[in-house]
Amino acid sequence: MTPRRLYGLVRWYLRELTGESAYDRYLDRHRLAHPGAPPLPRRDFERRRTDRGDENPGARCC
Amino acid sequence: MTIPDSTRAKPTWRSILVWTAVAIAGATAWGMIALVRGEEISAFWLVVAALGSYAIGYRFYARFIATKVLRVDDTRATPAERLEDGVDFQPTDRRVLLGHHFAAIAGAGPLVGPVLAAQMGYLPGTMWIIIGVIFAGAVQDMVVLFISMRRNGRSLGQLARDEIGPIGGVAALVGVFSIMIIILAVLALVVVNALAESPWGTFSIAMTIPIALLMGFYLRTLRPGRVIETSLIGVALLLLAIVAGGWVQASSWADAFTLSPQTLVFCLVIYGFVAAVLPVWMLLAPRDYLSTFMKIGTIGLLAVGVLIVAPTLQAEAVTDFASSGAGPVFSGTLFPFVFITIACGALSGFHALIASGTTPKMIQKESQVRLIGYGAMLMESFVAVMALIAACILDPGLYYAMNAPAGVLGTTVESASTAVANLGFTISPQDLQAAADAVGEESLVARTGGAPTLAVGMSEILSSVFGGDSLKAFWYHFAIMFEALFILTTVDAGTRVGRFMLQDTLGNVWKPLGRVGWKPGIWATSAVVVCAWGYFLYAGVNDPLGGINQLFPLFGIANQLLAAIALTVATVVLVKSGRLKWAWVTAAPLAWVAVVTLTASWHKVFSSDPRIGFFAQRERYADALDQGEVLAPAKDLDQMRTVVTNSTVDGVLAAFFALLVVVIILNAAVICWRAARSAEPLPTTEAPYVESKLLVPAGRVAAAEDPEDDRP
């Protein structure tokens, strides 16, 4: 495995794990579901994504 | 990933050879640990025994459960595929989901329990962690995950109500809530004991609040969604805060950050309340990112350290306390108390809440429950093994000087040295002071709760790989920070979850309380939850007999009670779906955990030994109080009254927990009896079969088809 490939892999994993890639996925979904309609800007999307935690807290174990 | 029986290829010679080698390595390591006496054992053998056993458990037992017992079916669409909405239901790469699930289940539990259980020696703890995870803990996580996944991700409470009935459902709900309260109190107590009178630790942990706020605002306003970048800034600031703690300790600010345990309790309670009512983006979300990064990084670092240093174990294999039950850290004999002291790492009921929460809504393919449910629990178990190693490489004299209650040890190094000698171990006052100086603490006497002990052990290991003795103090406070960060995240999230449960329940009685957006409702229910755990925390801090000594058994009983509920639900589902033949897979661990929990509760309620039985303890102190006498370790009549109140409350709780288990198991037995007698299977609660259209991509790396390698 080349260092470049390793870097790509680590970056991909961290982006997926932290949810940083959620916006890209949203854009893909949006394009398919509502072609032509403008998607939410990233700022609004991330706000909604985080604020969902207010009503649905994930339990953390001991 | 899983190949159905009919098409299963014959094992190749290569695979037979590899697995024979793994089995031999594991067996040799077990032989070294268990049989070799009179020589010093290297921690390396513990690691080999653990990894060898995990590999075999994962390859053979977990696969057997997946194919024969659960009959996972990759042609069946998972809820993530059927109900995909881009929000809750979302097919997620299995390695990413493993990371999510592991971050959610792993916390301070597997770090604390093994450290306390080291009082029985390294052998009982190691055996229970490894055997327990393979046959009980990982099985519970995997089966609950599967059951919940087949039912669109229903929660444990809902599953209990659907499968066992309303009584089981209510008992489960009450159980979950009370367990949450006890867990939060015990974990907060660990933090208080680690930070009390330590300006370095207190300053570093206090700094995590502004750091999290800063990260929150940065993510909200400046760089929305750039989580990795924000986390890296956060981790850098966190390391700076640890270093700066050393400067603060040496400066005139030290007094401002030298807090008594009682002050810390108030700080934590207020913090818990504020954190639970603030919007998550400000504090909880950024703190969660930080703690996930620290968690994965530190555990990795420790694993590397243990493998490179391969330290020698100083503790005995089995101590006299195992049979006498007179151990200072927690009272009682090996059975049943080791099995409730080490909960997380071997079998943790709390995981059933996570395995029936978000994870089942994100699985791509049914067969992945093996990697995610069973695999993540094996990783947590490995964390517990490392914590046990970190405690057992310490000189036993130092271990007892840190972990016996303050009432036994006194406050000076001289008194502690004498008390340790009375326990049958030796440490000179000079050595005890030197150990404290080496890690930059005023004193290590009676720093109970497990966190400081683990931190000393970790600083031993990490400083011999990175930085030498000069960095010992840094690594000690790094370890304290790492644990406190976990625990505070759990306290934030737990208070919030408790608040939602309370709102949900009370909303049935009075509608407005159930509304999640109604501020007075949020404040009132948050205050109730915070006060509930705050009460036990305060009681623990002021208990002359030692809060950890008194409360930790309750924590263990509560956690294993939840495991009993989860395993009962699992067994009922297996029986109801016509799999009576395989029901032993969950019924056997259920029987074990029921025996352990009920025996432990029995001891705690009915034992006539005042060191063990809460009511015997109450009677002894109440009688003395009537005569106006003061019994050590209490120092005055007020402390005597404290002991009487605490032991009454603790005893009632222990009895209550045991009663809950009995109610649920009896109710479940009736359902199982009905199911087994009925001619045809009872109506299923599974979501109907829908054929899967999802092709799982091989991922970015062409990973080996079957990731047998389960090391974290």
Side-chain angles (χ1 to χ4, degrees), chain A residues 5 9 12-14 16-18 20 25 29 42-43 46-47 50-52 54-55 57 59-62, chain B residues 84-85 87 90 95-96 100 104-105 107-109 220-221 225 227-228 279-280 288 344 354 490 500 700:
Chain A
R5 227 173 110 74
L9 185 73
W12 165 81
Y13 192 79
L14 288 180
E16 289 285 328
L17 193 68
T18 54
E20 196 165 315
R25 216 178 297 115
R29 272 180 68 87
R42 179 152 203 179
R43 187 173 298 264
E46 296 293 351
R47 274 188 185 205
T50 315
D51 291 346
R52 270 198 297 276
D54 282 331
E55 266 140 59
R60 280 284 184 256
C61 184
C62 31
Chain B
E84 183 177 358
D85 57 6
V87 183
Q90 193 158 273
R95 291 155 296 176
V96 174
H100 275 295
I105 62 171
R220 189 79 168 178
T221 53
V227 182
I228 301 178
V280 285
D288 211 21
C344 311
I354 320 265
T490 307
F500 273 89
R700 290 184 53 113

Side-chain angles (χ1 to χ4, degrees), chain B residues 322-413:
Chain B
S323 47
S324 73
V329 185
F330 59 92
S331 322
T333 48
L334 192 148
F335 179 87
F337 288 104
V338 158
F339 305 100
I340 59 164
T341 304
I342 301 183
C344 311
L347 168 64
S348 167
F350 216 91
H351 294 185
L353 299 183
I354 320 265
S356 62
T358 45
T359 311
K361 298 175 183 156
M362 295 164 80
I363 296 183
Q364 284 174 324
K365 285 287 175 191
E366 290 203 337
S367 59
Q368 293 172 358
V369 294
R370 175 159 76 124
L371 176 70
I372 294 156
Y374 203 92
M377 182 62 193
L378 290 183
M379 284 163 53
E380 168 156 299
S381 172
F382 191 61
V383 175
V385 169
M386 288 193 297
L388 188 79
I389 290 174
C392 290
I393 61 166
L394 295 185
D395 177 62
L398 178 60
Y399 174 84
Y400 290 105
M402 292 183 71
N403 285 291
V408 175
L409 290 169
T411 47
T412 63
V413 284

